[in-house]
């Protein structure tokens, strides 16, 4: 499934404190850069799967989780949110977005 030991998963920064507030003691460690980048990719797949399985009510929150991971991945690539948006805008300018709902079925 993933490239890491069976132990652990990447969690949001405040999760350990939330666990402490619930009366438990979390066991955590800080991933090195290579592991962090790999676990972020795993987390993206996890969050996308949750979005795809979500009902209409929970879909926006799940999509926000996807965006959080995308922003973290971009940061690891040295791309800030503003630069990421500029890249998206440039691609949309060149190739368009998805608002017209066009489905391509091939060429004649």
């Amino acid at each position: 499934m993933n490239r890491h030991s069976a132990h652990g998963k990447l969690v949001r920064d405040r999760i350990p404190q939330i666990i402490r507030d619930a009366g438990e003691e979390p066991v955590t460690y800080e991933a090195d850069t290579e592991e962090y980048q790999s676990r972020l990719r795993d987390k993206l797949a996890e969050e996308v799967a949750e979005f795809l399985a979500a009902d209409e009510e929970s879909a926006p929150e799940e999509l926000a989780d996807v965006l959080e991971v995308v922003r973290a991945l971009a940061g690891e690539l040295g791309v800030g949110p503003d630069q990421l948006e500029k890249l998206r805008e440039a691609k949309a300018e060149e190739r368009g977005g998805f608002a017209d709902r066009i489905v391509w079925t091939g060429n004649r």
Side-chain angles (χ1 to χ4, degrees), residues 44 66-92:
L44 181 60
V66 171
L67 183 58
E68 189 70 31
V69 176
V70 167
R71 286 185 172 182
L73 281 163
E76 282 300 297
L77 296 171
V79 178
D82 291 342
Q83 187 180 359
L84 187 61
E85 178 59 18
K86 285 179 181 157
L87 290 166
R88 186 206 61 77
E89 286 174 355
K91 193 149 198 176

Side-chain angles (χ1 to χ4, degrees), residues 35-101:
E35 180 183 1
Y36 177 58
Q37 290 173 351
S38 179
R39 286 192 183 265
L40 274 173
R41 290 171 185 261
D42 292 344
K43 185 59 111 176
L44 181 60
E46 175 189 326
E47 297 297 353
V48 167
E50 289 176 7
F51 169 73
L52 293 173
D55 59 23
E56 195 171 317
E57 183 178 332
S58 61
E61 187 173 322
E62 297 299 342
L63 192 56
D65 289 344
V66 171
L67 183 58
E68 189 70 31
V69 176
V70 167
R71 286 185 172 182
L73 281 163
E76 282 300 297
L77 296 171
V79 178
D82 291 342
Q83 187 180 359
L84 187 61
E85 178 59 18
K86 285 179 181 157
L87 290 166
R88 186 206 61 77
E89 286 174 355
K91 193 149 198 176
E93 178 70 27
E94 177 187 331
R95 301 183 66 110
F98 295 97
D100 292 343
R101 302 179 183 188

Side-chain angles (χ1 to χ4, degrees), residues 102-108:
I102 296 169
V103 177
W104 178 51
T105 61
N107 296 337
R108 292 178 216 241

Side-chain angles (χ1 to χ4, degrees), residues 1 20 26 60 90 93:
M1 180 174 156
R20 283 186 203 96
E93 178 70 27

